[in-house]
Amino acid sequence: MNFLVELVYIITVGAIRAYKSIEFGIIKLFSGPINNYILRNSEKLAIVFHVPQNVNSEISAKEEARILEESNYPSILHVKINNLSIFSRILNQGSLAMAEGYSNSTWEFMGSDDQLVELFSRLIDSKIYQLYYHPINRFLHYLEFQAFNLQTSKRAFQVADKHYDMGNDLFESYLDPWMQYSCGYWARADNLNDSQLHKLELIAKKLDLKPGMRVLDMGCGWGTLCKYLAENYGVECVGLTVSKEGAKYAEKVCTGLNTKFRVQDYRDLNEKFDRIVSIECIEHLGHHNYRTFFEIMHKCLKNDGIFLIQIFGVNHIETPLVDPFMHKYILPNASFPYYLDVAKSIEDLFVIEDWHNFGLDFAKTANAWRRNFQDNWTSQLGQKYGEKFFRLYKLFIIITEATFKLRKMQLWQLVLSKDGLKWEYRAAR
């Protein structure tokens, strides 16, 4: 953004904050009826809130049987509410209030992490979140997160500063040995390590690689896809990233291989490649830049080349494309691609050779990440990142798992060519 647009954006966000502050004051005036409504209707989801006045109370077997019969759920989930204001805050701020409330123990879940995934699954499946995501808040979300280009070249490195450069020790604690921070492929795998290895091989097969080819990994993470392709297929790999720590890691693990890594924005790219691959990078680009991104990839791909892009995206019209909680605490400026925006952006540039959806695999991947994250959280990590970060990050993984489990988000691999491949192409599975 230039200075004037940045100023308009700051003023717009300030106005939204002022409005939401006033709105919260109004909501608090009706907190009694709101609380009663939520407490009463939560039973339809077999969720029991233990509020301060009865926080230690237990429901009778008869009452439990009634709730289960009326809700048609197999079990009751229990949530301890330490401050009833959380309900008003959730109506005012949505997922951001829920996440912050969890991180500071305004509400606590009385069960296992598997059951916490089930809690969010029920909340998402019931569409109760639409109490917050009504037309006014949809419009405010659009103004704050989509009306302006938040992923310009000047802002492109913010996600690395906030997230990817936090420290490799964090990601090593819960990712697989290949450090794949993206969905694995579980068709023939029963564990995270194999799923990621199979994903790397699936990508290689779909790219139809030949020794000596030059491959661009756009958004290369820690460089391990480049390592796999260079070692096993004899290709030259160039990795682009906005993360300084990722590039350092990549250079180290790829020592001696025909690989190069650059900390560089994709808009500065101007060279030719036989193959291009981009794994869950477009989520950081923003819909304002999709067309520019695909135009640059088109320019850089040789005429008979193949471009594989992996996307976690949305094709449910009611699913928000930006999550305020993730934007503030996890992945600033991230936006989930809507399938029509992707299709429109490649029009007249690429032929879609294959569109492969394996969205449920992301639920399995997130489940494995969550267990590793919990099991491998050490006192050293705790001292470095803090308890609040631990709770927020775990919740981020849990919500991801629940969302993909319900298929509210999808995982796609698209194989693209510039003008249709002139040989018979059958994508690997």
Side-chain angles (χ1 to χ4, degrees):
M1 286 189 250
N2 60 39
F3 174 77
L4 182 59
V5 176
E6 185 84 37
L7 180 61
V8 173
Y9 175 68
I10 292 172
I11 293 172
T12 300
V13 172
I16 292 171
R17 297 289 182 270
Y19 168 80
K20 297 301 287 185
S21 179
I22 295 170
E23 181 191 72
F24 181 61
I26 295 173
I27 290 174
K28 285 199 298 183
L29 295 176
F30 301 92
S31 60
I34 289 171
N35 295 343
N36 291 334
Y37 174 84
I38 293 175
L39 292 171
R40 184 172 63 253
N41 282 271
S42 65
E43 290 187 0
K44 297 177 182 179
L45 304 177
I47 299 171
V48 172
F49 290 107
H50 298 264
V51 297
Q53 55 264 39
N54 67 345
V55 70
N56 294 316
S57 63
E58 295 183 3
I59 59 176
S60 65
K62 183 178 180 180
E63 184 71 0
E64 182 173 335
R66 179 192 65 79
I67 293 173
L68 291 175
E69 181 179 358
E70 293 179 359
S71 68
N72 201 31
Y73 282 99
S75 62
I76 293 178
L77 303 176
H78 298 269
V79 179
K80 178 182 176 183
I81 302 297
N82 295 319
N83 190 328
L84 279 169
S85 69
I86 185 62
F87 295 137
S88 296
R89 291 196 176 277
I90 290 173
L91 279 180
N92 180 242
Q93 295 182 311
S95 65
L96 181 59
M98 181 169 284
E100 290 179 341
Y102 180 74
S103 71
N104 60 29
S105 298
T106 300
W107 67 274
E108 301 175 53
F109 186 68
M110 303 164 69
S112 67
D113 285 347
D114 285 341
Q115 291 173 315
L116 186 53
V117 174
E118 175 63 19
L119 173 73
F120 279 98
S121 296
R122 293 183 191 182
L123 293 175
I124 295 169
D125 196 36
S126 71
K127 298 184 179 181
I128 196 171
Y129 61 87
Q130 290 184 349
L131 287 173
Y132 165 78
Y133 204 56
H134 51 73
I136 293 177
N137 279 336
R138 279 181 177 268
F139 176 66
L140 295 179
H141 271 222
Y142 171 78
L143 287 180
E144 183 171 359
F145 301 119
Q146 293 179 273
F148 297 84
N149 186 355
L150 302 183
Q151 300 86 6
T152 61
S153 55
K154 289 185 178 180
R155 300 171 63 96
F157 294 84
Q158 289 182 352
V159 68
D161 295 338
K162 179 72 176 287
H163 188 71
Y164 292 107
D165 287 344
M166 285 189 299
N168 292 332
D169 55 350
L170 171 69
F171 298 103
E172 287 174 323
S173 73
Y174 71 93
L175 299 181
D176 65 291
W178 282 91
M179 289 284 280
Q180 287 292 296
Y181 195 22
S182 55
C183 180
Y185 188 56
W186 294 77
R188 290 173 291 279
D190 59 7
N191 62 78
L192 178 64
N193 295 358
D194 286 349
S195 78
Q196 295 292 7
L197 190 61
H198 292 180
K199 189 264 301 289
L200 296 174
E201 181 62 16
L202 179 70
I203 290 169
K205 294 298 186 187
K206 286 184 178 181
L207 287 174
D208 193 23
L209 297 170
K210 303 292 187 297
M213 282 184 170
R214 193 162 188 254
V215 180
L216 170 67
D217 184 355
M218 176 61 233
C220 63
W222 289 273
T224 50
L225 173 59
C226 289
K227 174 181 171 65
Y228 184 86
L229 299 182
E231 281 184 333
N232 294 282
Y233 287 87
V235 296
E236 174 191 353
C237 290
V238 175
L240 257 63
T241 179
V242 294
S243 170
K244 295 177 183 177
E245 292 300 317
K248 290 178 185 177
Y249 186 99
E251 292 283 4
K252 183 177 180 179
V253 300
C254 292
T255 299
L257 297 175
N258 193 7
T259 57
K260 298 182 181 68
F261 298 96
R262 307 174 193 161
V263 180
Q264 178 182 328
D265 184 67
Y266 67 93
R267 281 161 282 221
D268 298 326
L269 192 64
N270 186 21
E271 53 195 289
K272 290 291 186 179
F273 297 91
D274 299 286
R275 301 289 187 264
I276 299 176
V277 59
S278 182
I279 306 301
E280 295 174 30
C281 171
I282 193 174
E283 296 79 6
H284 298 302
L285 305 187
H287 70 97
H288 291 278
N289 304 303
Y290 292 166
R291 183 67 180 185
T292 298
F293 170 73
F294 283 112
E295 286 175 346
I296 292 172
M297 296 303 106
H298 181 270
K299 180 181 67 174
C300 292
L301 185 67
K302 292 182 179 179
N303 288 336
D304 59 349
I306 294 174
F307 175 23
L308 184 150
I309 182 169
Q310 182 167 308
I311 305 169
F312 62 88
V314 173
N315 66 333
H316 287 75
I317 191 65
E318 79 279 1
T319 302
L321 301 183
V322 177
D323 181 82
F325 154 50
M326 287 179 57
H327 172 78
K328 182 175 180 179
Y329 288 105
I330 310 295
L331 297 167
N333 307 323
S335 177
F336 310 131
Y338 188 55
Y339 77 109
L340 288 179
D341 291 337
V342 173
K344 187 67 176 177
S345 297
I346 64 177
E347 190 174 22
D348 298 327
L349 292 175
F350 292 102
V351 170
I352 301 174
E353 300 286 352
D354 186 55
W355 192 314
H356 184 189
N357 187 341
F358 48 100
L360 271 176
D361 285 12
F362 213 138
K364 295 179 180 180
T365 302
N367 178 280
W369 287 348
R370 170 171 60 85
R371 296 180 188 281
N372 287 347
F373 185 71
Q374 180 78 45
D375 293 345
N376 298 329
W377 185 259
T378 63
S379 58
Q380 288 84 359
L381 289 172
Q383 290 174 3
K384 181 176 179 180
Y385 297 101
E387 179 64 22
K388 180 179 179 180
F389 173 87
F390 172 79
R391 293 173 68 83
L392 285 171
Y393 205 80
K394 184 176 74 169
L395 197 66
F396 155 63
I397 300 174
I398 283 173
I399 293 174
T400 300
E401 181 179 348
T403 305
F404 278 95
K405 179 181 177 182
L406 289 170
R407 304 307 305 280
K408 298 301 183 184
M409 293 191 65
Q410 314 303 322
L411 191 288
W412 304 310
Q413 276 190 358
L414 279 66
V415 176
L416 309 174
S417 66
K418 293 183 77 166
D419 194 31
L421 296 173
K422 302 306 187 287
W423 69 90
E424 184 179 19
Y425 180 84
R426 296 188 183 277
R429 288 292 188 267

